[in-house]
Amino acid sequence: ELTLLVIAALLWRLLVAVHAGLAMLHALQAEKIPHSGVPSAEKGSPPPPPHLSRQLSRERLRGGTPVPPPSPRGEGEPNMLADARPLRISAGHFGKCLSGDADVDVALFIAACQNYCKVLALIGPFTLLSTREVISNMKKIEHSFELAPVRYRSMRELLEAEVAAGMHQPGGVLVDPSAAVGLLWARRGLTFWVHIFRELSRIGRQRQSGRISPAEGPTPSGRSTPRGGSPTGDVSLKELVERGYAATLQPFNGWLSQNSMSLALRAVPQEFPRLAPTQLEMLEDLEAWCDVVEQLVGRMAAVQLELDLEDRRKSI
């Protein structure tokens, strides 16, 4: 009976997540999600973390007059969902997050991640799980960020404030929710997609050079083909996603998260959508996105490790 209750509870949670994901996908496709980087308190955002609110004085938190963060999409800029090269647009958004030599602009990072959800929506329904995680992580970051939107545009300043407030324990034991947790899982999620896009690009380049025949392996803009032939090309799109997950997220996912991913993998399409007018432009955009995001997550990891904010515990 206990086992049945546990199964029923897990199924209920999964159904709620799927329902929320479908609603979110429809909203994204209908352009109902605003392009502004961070919602204001007037829009009903949750209150800041109690630990940070209690232990840091209002004066210390406020660092300056709050200003609305800029949107990475400027006036008259093309709509990502309608544009022929959404990955290139997304790479530009993430590139703007790089602040100075080693910091990250938090406001622009939140906005870039929110806009990237629209790219995920174009890839297919199996990305709903990733989209849900992106939105959840952004909310956790916003809780602390909104306490001082001027000062905490610096990721380092934001994380140092949480550490100074005593929110987290030594050894990378992070309080959840917090900006540190949101940034950590956002970084891991981006690394997951870097792994997949790098493999798609590598296979595409090898096919161009003739090292893989057109009948082998998935294409970055075409149908996955039957297995056989070259060891390099003997891989499906689903296998690329599985490998990316095993290398990036799985080591930190508990039983429930792993099973949710297993369900999502069943929806991986036979085709990776064409997100550029030509095959060559598609490969260029995949590589440009990976180059920028790898630089971004490298900065994030360096700061998080320096501040002892690398939580290696598994999720549920």
Side-chain angles (χ1 to χ4, degrees):
E1 290 182 0
L2 180 60
T3 303
L4 289 174
L5 285 173
V6 170
I7 292 172
L10 293 175
L11 287 174
W12 176 83
R13 181 168 181 172
L14 181 60
L15 286 171
V16 170
V18 169
H19 178 75
L22 288 172
M24 181 172 51
L25 179 61
H26 292 318
L28 287 169
Q29 291 174 335
E31 285 288 346
K32 291 178 182 175
I33 292 183
H35 294 290
S36 58
V38 184
S40 65
E42 289 77 15
K43 294 182 181 178
S45 58
H51 300 282
L52 194 57
S53 299
R54 281 199 306 267
Q55 299 179 46
L56 294 182
S57 69
R58 217 61 184 150
E59 204 172 301
R60 185 179 171 193
L61 284 169
R62 284 293 175 189
T65 304
V67 294
S71 166
R73 206 181 106 178
E75 193 86 20
E77 194 171 324
N79 182 332
M80 182 181 292
L81 288 173
D83 192 82
R85 303 183 74 171
L87 275 171
R88 181 164 291 273
I89 293 175
S90 178
H93 291 164
F94 282 116
K96 292 176 183 177
C97 301
L98 301 173
S99 177
D101 295 328
D103 207 350
V104 173
D105 186 309
V106 175
L108 292 178
F109 178 72
I110 293 171
C113 287
Q114 290 175 336
N115 275 276
Y116 181 57
C117 288
K118 298 172 185 177
V119 179
L120 295 179
L122 297 175
I123 296 174
F126 84 98
T127 65
L128 284 172
L129 185 62
S130 290
T131 303
R132 186 190 70 184
E133 289 301 311
V134 170
I135 293 174
S136 173
N137 290 328
M138 294 309 104
K139 287 180 180 178
K140 293 176 183 181
I141 298 168
E142 288 166 4
H143 289 176
S144 292
F145 169 79
E146 290 176 345
L147 294 172
V150 174
R151 177 183 172 188
Y152 294 161
R153 288 192 71 145
S154 161
M155 185 188 74
R156 174 177 287 278
E157 291 253 11
L158 175 58
L159 293 178
E160 285 178 345
E162 287 195 345
V163 171
M167 287 183 68
H168 310 296
Q169 299 177 31
V173 179
L174 306 184
V175 166
D176 189 6
S178 65
V181 164
L183 288 164
L184 176 66
W185 282 101
R187 189 192 90 205
R188 289 171 177 169
L190 289 171
T191 304
F192 165 65
W193 288 105
V194 166
H195 192 285
I196 295 170
F197 291 168
R198 280 289 185 209
E199 283 296 288
L200 285 169
S201 171
R202 180 183 63 81
I203 291 170
R205 291 294 184 187
Q206 289 181 334
R207 181 175 289 104
Q208 277 192 331
S209 66
R211 283 179 284 171
I212 298 179
S213 74
E216 296 169 355
T219 68
S221 59
R223 183 172 298 279
S224 299
T225 54
R227 298 169 61 90
S230 163
T232 311
D234 189 15
V235 60
S236 68
L237 178 58
K238 181 179 179 181
E239 286 175 307
L240 289 186
V241 176
E242 288 175 331
R243 290 179 187 179
Y245 178 67
T248 58
L249 294 173
Q250 188 173 15
F252 308 104
N253 280 175
W255 180 85
L256 182 58
S257 298
Q258 290 186 32
N259 278 273
S260 297
M261 187 62 184
S262 295
L263 290 173
L265 285 170
R266 297 180 185 179
V268 174
Q270 288 297 308
E271 296 181 3
F272 191 87
R274 173 163 298 201
L275 301 180
T278 68
Q279 176 80 354
L280 179 59
E281 288 174 328
M282 177 71 175
L283 294 175
E284 290 173 350
D285 291 355
L286 286 168
E287 290 160 0
W289 192 90
C290 290
D291 289 344
V292 169
V293 174
E294 280 180 335
Q295 187 178 355
L296 174 65
V297 298
R299 289 189 179 196
M300 295 173 72
V303 174
Q304 288 163 327
L305 285 168
E306 178 188 336
L307 298 178
D308 192 22
L309 297 175
E310 189 74 15
D311 196 329
R312 300 186 181 278
R313 295 174 298 166
K314 286 182 178 286
S315 63
I316 58 171

